[in-house]
Structure formats: structure tokens, C-alpha cells
Amino acid sequence: MSSGQVTKRVKYKTSVKDAGTPGRLSLVKERLLFRPNNPNSASKLDMQFKYITNHRYTKEGSNKAPMLNLTSNQACRALAPPVEAPNLGASSQVPSEQPSRDDLLFRARLLQDSSELQKLHQQFVGGGVLTEAEFWATRKKLLEKDSNTKSKQRGGLKSSVLGESKPLIDGRTNRVTFNLTPEIVREIFSEKPAVHRAYLNFVPSKVTEKDFWTKYFRAEYLQRSKNIAAAIAEAAEDEELAIFLKPDDILANETRRKIRRVDPTLDMEADQGDDYSHLPDHGILRDGSKEVPEPGNELYRRTLLQDLNRHAAVVLQGTPIDEEQLKDTQTVAEALERSKQERSTASKDDDSMADQERLKGISQAMTIDDLRGSNDHHLAPLWIKDPRDYFDSQQASSFRTSMEATKGSMSSQEAYGLLRESISQIKSMGLNHPIVAPEVAQKVLSVLTHNISSTKYNLGKKPGESLLDSLPTSVRDELLHHHISIEELMKHFWSSYPITTKYLNTKVIKLKDEMSKMDSQLQKLKETVQPDIRHQITLLIRPMQQALEAAMQHYDAEQQKRASKAREKPNGYS
Amino acid sequence: MKFQIEEVTVYFPYDNIYPEQYTYMVELKRALDAKGHCLLEMPTGTGKTIALLSLITSYALAKTESPIKLIYCTRTVHEMEKTLAELKFLHNYQVKHLGAAAKMLAIGLSSRKNLCVNPTVSSAENRDSVDAACRKLTASWVRSMAAENPNQPTCEFYENYDRAAGGAVLPAGVYTLEDLRAFGKEKGWCPYFLARHMVQFANVVVYSYQYLLDPKVAGIISKEMQKESVVVFDEAHNIDNVCIEALSVSVRRQTLEGAIRNISRIENEIDRFKDIDAGRLRAEYNRLVEGLALRGDLSASDAWLANPALPDDILRQAVPGNIRRAEHFLHVLRRLVQYLKVKLDTDKVEKESPVSFVASINSDAGIDQKALKFCYDRLHSLLMTLEITDTDEFLHIQTICDFATLVGTYARGFSIIIEPFDERMPLIPDPVLQLCCHDASLAIKPVFDRFQSVVITSGTLSPIDLYPRLLNFHPVVSRSFKMSLTRDCICPMVLTRGSDQLPVSTKFDMRSDPGVVRNYGKLLVEMVSIVPDGIVCFFVSYSYMDGIINSWNESGILKDIMQHKLVFIETQDVVETTLALDNYRRACDCGRGAVFFSVARGKVAEGIDFDRHYGRLVIMFGVPFQYTESKILRARLEYLRDTFQIKEGDFLTFDALIDVMNIKLTDRNLNQRQAAQCVGRVIRSKADYGMMIFADKRYSRHDKRSKLPGWILSHLRDANLNLSTDMALHIAREFLRKMAQPYEKTGSTTGRKTLLSQEDVEKLGNNGAQEMLY
């Protein structure tokens, strides 16, 4: 409903007998608009609600074609009979838009993309519990095409430096082993374009892959051992090795390009370019305030700090390579090269666009927020690719603690009970020595501290771990599926209230049947699982059952109310 | 909003205004009315710049009969860009509400390096080579040569600009450097010369301090500014240092060696000219006899850096006879360089006054004071005559001539200090001969004399009565404003112990202790996991930062940090640091979050803001070591004591050392002006918030802590004075949670308003500001 309008295919008639003009009727905030399919047609309608004096529509369930008859005080009678859409009364609350061909295709694609959605669709639409339209009505967000195209999200790079992983040094054989995975290769290639270029040029035509990497790591090792003299000596002998040790010329070019487009409000290079007081040897050189720069910036000197900056820049930029492409070095190298070319062709317009955006951002950043009357922030929608993964990692710790507590020798309830007992004892008997029975205090303390220390111990330590993960996969999947199905049912169930039409009534009955089926399934699941995880399962199932129960209760209460009303009515009239 | 301050209608581009801003404007207006100078202190984070800009532009709009020009000076180019961005915002607002009448021309001016659009020139490495490359294409003799020889390369942008002549004007608007470049590219005109030309016509000119204070630059750029100008020095707490630096020169061995090379090259050129065009040298000689050091009508593109001495002190006399001939002049230079070389070859520190120094040059090298004084002009004339364009090659000899001219011109306010090595590294011989200026009022005097109003403003000018004495002027308004905060948006903490309860410190005997390094690391690891967006860390020095990052890397702490945030680091390479900063901001903007490692006295600490989400937490690891024994500082203190009766103690607490410790805190003498300035930079507005952690046990001592600026101290609760990592973590969590809550922006709950609406301002205007606010 982002656009705030309802559209429906209708035929427009000026009188009942009229053949009608096919077109679309849209309902917006203040007016009713009719646009004929044939743009040349003269019959257009644009009527504000306030001019409508009367409206009639065909009764639901009658076999006449549904029709809406509007009367306005401008003496113009407008008739807008909906196209022969089965079952869809003009007043029905179900989404009434007829899906176009595009929409259908789009839905099919969505189903294909997500197996979860497909399962649900099969279960409910296939099982006749919900109609197609109902199913999609609750997923309007998904259907908004632009949000969907934008949300094509790719996982970012990991922040940590993979290539920095320490070499294994075997003291006995004096051998150093480096491990290399496609991910590390990707990192090396994107952070050191010169190595990438060298790889494309030399492998496999000039040197073998193995030799190439041996040389690379030899250079890295020299670099890291800070043995500059040795590095220079080796580089003089081996020109390929020298490539790895030399400062990266591609990077240098890139830097020069980037510095031109840097945010001008922090461009310290420009400051330097404008500073005429610090002509060489002007100004005060040694007043104790400036740090003396370390001498020597030799050719073969690359520092950890530079590497870290470079790494972070690459991570921030993101990778153009998908996970699937991370197979072997060759594919990674080629894929990177391809994407680089693409980028260089596309970058021109991109850059200027990005520049404009940045400049806008700067002027926005300059404004003082709280002085503005209203803040019209544009918020980017939060898009979490895998909500379960995201939230599980946050909840893992709390689940853990509950487990730990149950495993402890005594639950905190029990401990609490003991404490209360002793308090009531004190109340009845007054204070005597000792105030609290030592063994009780001991128990309470140990349980409570155990609880605290285990919480602390587990807090966020193992983000991937949760109660769910401790279950066998088949059970877990089943549980999750049940959970999603129940969620779907609940959504439809609660949105049907208050029941105003017959249609909704039938829907609710169908839903209720499905719910009781679900309830028994849950019960069965609980009974069939292994006894050792039954407790956890019960914990997990309980909220689902509670949700179902609440819905059932509501249904029953409502049913009773209706029945009593129905009984009252004839009484009142008779 | 729109409101009246007396007869002036002020157009302010926001719906609300801070009470500080309003009173600031009232005071500023009084100074403008009185056509006098003023000194205004208002904490950063209260929107000083926009208040200043909107008052002065509105004032200019109101007084159309005597139009005033605004000359706005910033310390750096990036601050200039920020000012222009604010001005743009203001200008849009004014044009929207006033129509075409509010249109004005505002330009930012910078060097060729930042403005050039000629691809071949602008690709040059540094400023000097860009200047030289430009001169190679645009010098008058190159262009006249090109008129005869089509193969002689010229700059098409300059040629187009020159051809358009009077037609080359900028339409009204606000131009940042980028806008100027874009305009230049579009029209095919040289943006640098266009901007320099337009400076005379612009309503607002924004450039850096030096363009007004440094006679070398001011001589060519700011010569023709009208008297009816308002000059603003923003962030002016360091203005005295800029003034003295503008008149100081240091000579090192490399300078002298370079100067000797330069002299030989000039000699060769002279010989060459003698063969082909002896007439030219003779013409120069004749001109010098007539008393003109330079041709009066230098074209803009020929202008080199101007005389290093102040305009009033330059003698309008004929160049003395003994240096009129080129060869003789070269001999003089040779003797001078030789003399300096001998002087530099010393193994003890020497201090001399200019008078005795000049006297000994006269007796030892036979160069009299008048010849010294004319060195600069004579060199300039010679290089012009020889048609030398690669001026970047001649910087060394230029330094020597600057030195000679200054030492020959000024008898007091300067001293010459020769140090055989840096006192902090006594083993590395690196002799320096420094001519240092002690009197900041010298360089700024012409500015006070020339312009109707000079506004000196900053977040920290205390003690405010010291500035008029240092700079030797009489302000008509001198006021200091306090900031009223709506809520406790600053949370300083002193961390003395790590999570293992062992003390942390960067004291010399502890700093390399692995326990301290680990505890510092653990602190950061814990903090990155709970603080959103950006964290800035300051270390005491580059070498310490380098060491600690390497050991964090080895022990895996860095990896833990990177799990939560990206890491960016300041290096000694300005370009790399700029890119790292840019990326740091991007990372904060996109929500990934980042940590920036910086050095307490580095370039970043000096001038980059870490406001809003760019700096939710600032950690100062250790107490930066302050070098107080500098010979130059001692000499300056002596001079101040003798001349202005400023007591050493006064000046040291006020400026516990020139230009040091900037950031949030700093220093053994956490000097008031800098430290406050730095902390101020975490706060952009009253809605902003930030924490700072001082991680060193020495901060818990009262004598160290009391050096922190007052308004940090006022937020530093006793409970936060002696924390361990765990406790700091807890406080940080609580603070962040508190800050995330919605709050009443106007501060009406606390009794005093911290935000005024249109209505409030109108009421204020009627009642008089003072009673309600103070």
C-alpha cells in the first residue's frame, strides 16, 4: 500500500444498459479515478468522495454481475461494474487486484528463490486453506519490485586479515609452511594488484603456480622478518621476487586517482599544498612540538600499518566475486580481472554520480541537526539477509544460560524456595544465631554464583551456538517449519477479525481446522522425539502451542458471542 | 528563521537557534557597528561558524550604502571547504527568502596545486613543482616566445582566460575549490588566475591564514583588498604561532648544499646569457641603478612569492651598488653561504641577537646590513632576468635570501639559535640555524592597521586578556561565552587499571611492559564490541603506536578488534593518511564501524574533527610526553617577559607548548587551549554525544588532571577517576544507553532554555538578551 491506492479492473457504464468501457478504477485518498484501457476513449472519471451522494452495490452472493452504482450531486450518474471477477465483491476485504501476467511470473520466481516460501505455499494454498490472493496479501513487501531488486545483497568481506595468518614454522627441518585457500588468494589479489597482474602474466606460461606462490611467500617472509638487506640482495638476483618486494605501482596510481576525489573537508593533502609557511626550511623547525620523522623510507619498506590500511580499504570496497567463484586460484584471478575491467568501463559515470552524492552528503553533514525544525532523515531500510542467523547469534547466550541452569545441581527456583523457607522461619521464630542456616546460604550462593559465572563465561563467546543447534537436524527442520506455518496461520487468523463478511467467516473456520491439525502434529512431535532432548523441545514448542491456544480461545469466545447474539435477535424482534 | 538584532534583519538558515549563537551575534554586531576589532570565544559545538557567517552577510545586506567585504581565514584547506559548505547552505536560504538581492559571490582561494585543471601541470608531485610547472607554461617570456614559435607549449586554460580578459568573470554564487575547478574546466579558463582576479570583486573570500599573515603570500594575493572589510580568523587559538612561523626561517646543511648548487647553476645561466643576450643583463643593471628592484608591472603569472619582510618594513630604495651586478651579487651570496656553513659547524648551542649576527657577518664575510636586506629582491630580479621557470629547483637559495632579508630588516623581536643536534636525539648530528620570530604582533600588525574590523574567534581563547597583549591590539569587544548543554552528553573517564587490576601507563619504565600493552589492547577489544560507529585512539608518538600495533598483531588482539570494526591508521605519509581518514568516514557512514589510530601530536590530531558518529569514543593511551626545554620556547618566553611583561607561568599554562597536543587531551601540561579545542571537536551540536577515556594511571593524580580544561573536568565525576577496564565498560554501556533515549531538545526541563525558537528570539529582542540568559 505504499502508493496509498487500490486499483481494480472494471467496466465503466454511464447507465445500466450501457455496454461499458473496460478500464481500471483506482481508489486514492480523496477521490475515485477511472482510466479506460483505451486512452482515446472519452469516458474518464475523476470524482471526489465528497460529491458522492449515494452509492449502491449488488448484493454479495447474488448471481448478478457485481456492480457499484454511484450517485453524485453533480447530477451525473456513474456506474462502475467490476469485471466478471468470481467471488470478489467490491466490498470484500481481500486484496482485489487481479494479478497481471508479470505479477504471476514474479511470484513464481519468488517461490523458486525461497524453498521455505515454496513449502508454505504448497501447504496452505495447495491444501486449500488459503487462496492464492490471501497468501500473497500478507507479503506485499516481497512483491514490491524495486525493494526486491535493490536488496540483492552480497555478503561482505571478513574484516580480519586472512593473509596475515601466521606461517607454521617447523623448528626441526627449518621449514616454513604457508596455507593458501581461495579466500586468501582473493584477498591477496585484491589488496595487491601487482601480484595479481604478475600472476596473470606469468602463470602458467612462465612459472608454475607452485613456484609463483613459493616466491610470493618468500618475499613476504623477508618482508616480515624486517631483513631489508637480505630482501634487497635477493631481489637483485631474482626479478620475479623483486616484483613482490617493490612498491605496487598500480596501487600508487590508484592512490593518486583517489586522492583527487577525497572528501574535501578532510583533505590534508590539500592543506599541505596550500601551506606556504612551511616551504622547505621556513617556519620553526625545532620547537619541541613536532615529532622528528624517522629517517629512511627505502624502496623495500612496507609497513604493517600500510598493509592494514590497504586491507581495510579493500574490505570496505567489497568484493565483486561471489562465493561460488572461490574455487581455485585461476578462477579467482580471472574473475577479479573481469570485474576490474567492468568496473573501469562503468566507473566514469559512476564516479561522477558518487561524487555528487558525496558532496551532497558533506553539505548535509555541515548542518546542525537539532537546530532544524523537523528532521527528514532518509532512513535506509534494514535488510538482514538471514534473520535467523542474525538473531540467533544474539540470543545464543541467553539460551545457554537456561541450559546451564538446568544442568546445575539445583535450579534457581529451588534455591530461591530454600531461601524463602528460611526467611519465613526467621519471621516466625525471630532472629537467632545464625541468621541463615549455613548450608542454605551455601546452596543459594553456589547456585547463584554458578549462574552468574556461567552467564559471564558464555556471554557472546560462541555466537553460532544455540539451543536449536544442539538438536538433530531433522527435528530442527521440522520445528522450524512448524514455527513458520503457525506464524503464517496466526497472521491470517488475527487479521480476519473482526469478522464482518461471510467470506471471512469461512476463512476463519478453515484456518481453525488447520490450527487444530497443527496442534496435534506438535503434540505428536513432542512425543516422538528422543527423551534426552524432550525437555528442550518442550521449551521450544511451548510458545507455539500458547499462540495456537490463544487463537482457539479467541475463536471460541467469538463463536459463543455470535451464537448468543443470533439467539437474542429473534427474541428481540418477536 | 528571520529576526532583528537592532536595525539588522538576520537571516539564519535554521528553525531554531542556540542562545549562545544569539548573544554571539549581538556582540559581533556591536563590534561591526563600532568598526573595531573583537575577540570572541565560544565553545565548538555551538555553531560558531554559521552564526558568524549569517550575521556578517545579513549585516552586509542591511548596510547597502557602504558594502563590506568578508575575508574569512581558516587554518587549513579542509576547514575552508567546511566553511564554504556552510556558506552555501546559508546562501541558498537567503536567496530563497530574499530573492536575487541576497546573491553574492563567495570564493575559496588556494594554491595552484589545489586549483589547477591542466592535466600535465596538476599531475606534478608537490606544490612547488606544480607552481614551477605552471610558470613554465605561463611566464610572460614563455608566452611571448610561444607567439613566435608554435611548438613552445603553453597552457590553453591560461591562454583562454587571458584572451577573455575582462569578460572572464564568475557569476554570483558560492564556489568551493571543486566548484572553481569545474567552472574552469567548463569554460576553459584557468581557475587559479580567475579566482585570484575575482578576489577583488567577491563579497566573501575564504582562504587560509597565510594569505593574509605571511608577507610572502600576502604580498601577491591580498595586496588590493579594500579597507571596508571584515577579517575573520576562525579557530584562532593558534594565531600567534602562525604569525611567528611566517617570519621564521631555518637553515640546515641540506639547505646550504642546495644553495651552493643553485648558485653554480645561476652562474652558468649568466655565462650563457652573456654569450647570447648580454643586453639583458645590462638592462637589469640599469634598472637597478634607477632604483627599481622589480619592474612595476609584473604580470600575474610571473609573480613569485613576495618579499618575506612586511610591506611597511621594505625600503623603497635603490638596490645598493655592491650587489647590482649579477656576478657581484653571486659573490655576496657565496660568501654568505660559506659564512653560514662555518656557523653551522658547531658542537654547542648558540644564541645570538640579529644585531650581533649582522655585525659579525659584516666583519667576517664583508656583507653589510643593507646588502643583506636587499638579498631577496635582488635574487628575484635576477631569476626573472634569467627567465628561470623551474623555480622549485631554487628553493634553497631562496631560503637563504629570505633569511638574509629578514635578519637584515629586523633588529628586535627575533633571535638566531644554532643547535648542533635535536636535544631529544643527541646522538644524531643535525645542525640547524634558526632565525625565529618571537613577536606575534609583527606579522599581524598590517592586518589590524589595514582593515576596519578584525574578528578573532575560537572555541578556546582563554585567558582571553592575553591575546590583545600577545598580538598588540585593542579590541572593542572581548567576550567569552559558555556553552549550556541540554544533557550530559560528554562522558570522560580515567582508566588506571586493566581488567587484571594492574596499573596501565606509558611512563618510560612501563610502556613496553607486555602487561600494559595487553591491557591497553583488551580495553580496546572490549570497547569495540559495545561502542557503535567510530572510535578514535590516540597514542603518544608514532614509534609507540607502531610498536604497540605490531605487538597487538602478533598476540592476536588486532584480530579480535577487527572482528568488530575495521582498522585505519595514521601514517607519516599525508596522502595515505587522508585516504585512511576518508575510508574511516565511509566505514562509519555505512554502519560497518571503524577504529582510527592516530598520534596525539600528528596532523590528524591537529585539525580533523571526530564529531557525531565519527567519534563516539576517544581513547587517549598514555600521557603524551611534552618537550618543554626547547631553546626556541625559552627564548620566546624571555622575550615576552622583557617586552610585554607576560610572566612565564602565565604563558605556559596558557600555551603549554606551542601547537602541541591537540586532541582531546594531551599532555603533561594538558594545555588548556589545545585540549579544550580537541575535546570540543567530538561535539558537533548539543544533540551530539561522546565519551573519552584517559588510559594512564597518572591521570588520576590531581596535578595532572587539573591541567584538563574546565569543561571536561566539570563532566568528570569523582566515581570515574580511577576505573578498571570492567568498570569503564559498564559505565560506557550505561552512557550509551542513556544517550540513545529521546530527550527534550529545548532543555525546558532543566529550567534554562538551550534552544530558542523564532518566538523566543523575538521575545529576547524585546527584553534584551542578557537578563534571560545570564
Side-chain angles (χ1 to χ4, degrees), chain B residues 190-255:
Chain B
C190 173
Y192 173 73
F193 288 104
L194 178 63
R196 265 179 61 178
H197 176 65
M198 293 310 290
V199 160
Q200 300 168 47
F201 311 106
N203 305 81
V204 181
V205 179
V206 185
Y207 52 36
S208 84
Y209 280 14
Q210 299 142 17
Y211 284 62
L212 217 46
L213 292 180
D214 189 335
K216 296 192 285 299
V217 195
I220 40 174
I221 305 283
S222 308
K223 254 188 318 205
E224 283 151 28
M225 296 288 189
Q226 71 214 45
K227 183 181 178 351
E228 291 76 26
S229 298
V230 179
V231 177
V232 174
F233 291 103
D234 196 6
E235 305 289 350
H237 49 281
N238 264 342
I239 192 167
D240 50 331
N241 296 329
V242 178
C243 292
I244 61 172
E245 291 222 17
L247 294 179
S248 300
V249 181
S250 9
V251 176
R252 305 169 73 183
R253 275 209 188 120
Q254 297 92 303
T255 325

Side-chain angles (χ1 to χ4, degrees), chain A residues 19-38:
Chain A
T21 328
R24 275 170 184 268
L25 180 72
S26 41
L27 194 67
V28 295
K29 207 173 171 193
E30 280 172 330
R31 56 182 65 223
L32 214 50
L33 292 164
F34 174 77
R35 259 182 233 97
N37 284 351
N38 176 4

Side-chain angles (χ1 to χ4, degrees), chain A residues 157-161 164 166 226 255 258-260 262-294 304-306 308-309 311-313 315-316 358 365-368 370-373, chain B residues 14-16 18 76-78 81 85-86 110-111 113-114 122 127 131 208 210-211 214 216-217 245 248 250 255 305 402 419 421-422 424 430 432 434 542 546 550 554 562 567-569 572 574 576-577 579 582-583 585-586 592 612 627 630 658 660 684-687 755:
Chain A
L157 289 171
K158 292 223 169 60
S159 301
S160 50
V161 184
E164 276 297 312
K166 283 203 196 92
K226 304 221 166 110
T255 310
K258 273 192 190 148
I259 196 83
R260 281 251 147 198
V262 95
D263 180 348
T265 59
L266 46 73
D267 190 352
M268 292 194 296
E269 205 240 351
D271 296 350
Q272 211 177 32
D274 198 39
D275 188 358
Y276 279 95
S277 300
H278 293 94
L279 285 174
D281 299 329
H282 281 69
I284 291 176
L285 187 70
R286 209 179 270 167
D287 64 358
S289 64
K290 284 164 206 117
E291 191 159 341
V292 188
E294 272 177 60
L304 171 68
L305 307 192
Q306 283 168 323
L308 287 174
N309 276 336
H311 171 75
V315 170
L316 195 63
R358 285 222 87 186
M366 291 319 299
T367 59
I368 303 172
D370 59 341
L371 290 184
R372 316 189 101 177
Chain B
Y14 294 102
D15 297 334
N16 298 301
Y18 295 137
T76 55
V77 175
H78 69 257
E81 295 274 4
E86 296 209 39
S110 183
S111 62
K113 171 89 172 76
N114 293 337
S122 60
R127 177 198 53 227
D131 284 355
S208 84
Q210 299 142 17
Y211 284 62
D214 189 335
K216 296 192 285 299
V217 195
E245 291 222 17
S248 300
S250 9
T255 325
L305 286 179
D402 280 352
E419 284 180 294
F421 47 76
D422 190 322
R424 284 166 295 177
D430 180 22
V432 178
Q434 304 184 90
Y542 275 113
D546 197 56
N550 272 300
E554 271 151 35
M562 284 174 137
V567 169
F568 295 97
I569 305 166
Q572 306 214 10
V574 178
E576 182 170 348
T577 306
L579 287 178
D582 193 49
N583 282 326
R585 289 215 167 169
R586 277 174 213 262
R592 181 135 196 166
R612 298 175 299 135
Y627 182 67
S630 151
I658 314 193
V660 184
R684 162 90 191 140
S685 70
K686 292 182 181 180
L755 194 69

Side-chain angles (χ1 to χ4, degrees), chain B residues 65 146 597:
Chain B
E65 68 283 1
F597 290 139

Side-chain angles (χ1 to χ4, degrees), chain A residues 226 291 294 303-305 308, chain B residues 511-514 517-518 520 539-555 558 569 597 599:
Chain A
K226 304 221 166 110
E291 191 159 341
E294 272 177 60
T303 61
L304 171 68
L305 307 192
L308 287 174
Chain B
R511 64 164 60 177
S512 44
D513 178 350
V517 171
R518 194 185 52 241
Y520 276 153
F539 296 89
V540 289
S541 68
Y542 275 113
S543 51
Y544 184 64
M545 177 171 81
D546 197 56
I548 205 168
I549 290 176
N550 272 300
S551 56
W552 283 353
N553 184 40
E554 271 151 35
S555 59
L558 200 61
I569 305 166
F597 290 139
V599 174

Side-chain angles (χ1 to χ4, degrees), chain A residues 236-379:
Chain A
E237 278 168 27
D238 188 338
E239 59 178 279
E240 278 140 39
L241 190 76
I243 291 172
F244 300 132
L245 288 169
K246 256 193 271 182
D248 196 323
D249 57 323
I250 304 181
L251 263 190
N253 283 334
E254 206 179 317
T255 310
R256 216 165 295 147
R257 194 171 53 81
K258 273 192 190 148
I259 196 83
R260 281 251 147 198
R261 306 193 295 112
V262 95
D263 180 348
T265 59
L266 46 73
D267 190 352
M268 292 194 296
E269 205 240 351
D271 296 350
Q272 211 177 32
D274 198 39
D275 188 358
Y276 279 95
S277 300
H278 293 94
L279 285 174
D281 299 329
H282 281 69
I284 291 176
L285 187 70
R286 209 179 270 167
D287 64 358
S289 64
K290 284 164 206 117
E291 191 159 341
V292 188
E294 272 177 60
N297 234 340
E298 298 107 355
L299 182 61
Y300 295 122
R301 199 180 172 98
R302 205 183 69 217
T303 61
L304 171 68
L305 307 192
Q306 283 168 323
D307 284 349
L308 287 174
N309 276 336
R310 174 70 192 150
H311 171 75
V314 167
V315 170
L316 195 63
Q317 203 174 31
T319 173
I321 297 189
D322 288 323
E323 296 297 315
E324 306 94 66
Q325 282 169 292
L326 280 178
K327 269 179 278 175
D328 57 75
T329 323
Q330 194 68 38
T331 27
V332 171
E334 277 161 14
L336 262 182
E337 181 64 21
R338 231 175 301 129
S339 74
K340 210 185 275 174
Q341 277 162 2
E342 276 165 33
R343 215 186 311 158
S344 67
T345 51
S347 70
K348 275 246 163 96
D349 338 324
D350 243 29
D351 281 2
S352 61
M353 281 288 284
D355 276 359
Q356 296 242 310
E357 220 148 273
R358 285 222 87 186
L359 288 178
K360 231 204 226 149
I362 291 163
S363 61
Q364 215 141 52
M366 291 319 299
T367 59
I368 303 172
D369 290 337
D370 59 341
L371 290 184
R372 316 189 101 177
S374 56
N375 19 351
D376 41 349
H377 292 305
H378 286 285
L379 299 174

Side-chain angles (χ1 to χ4, degrees), chain B residues 433-449:
Chain B
L433 185 148
Q434 304 184 90
L435 171 73
C436 38
C437 171
H438 301 313
D439 191 348
S441 66
L442 283 176
I444 204 169
K445 185 166 181 290
V447 179
F448 284 130
D449 291 348

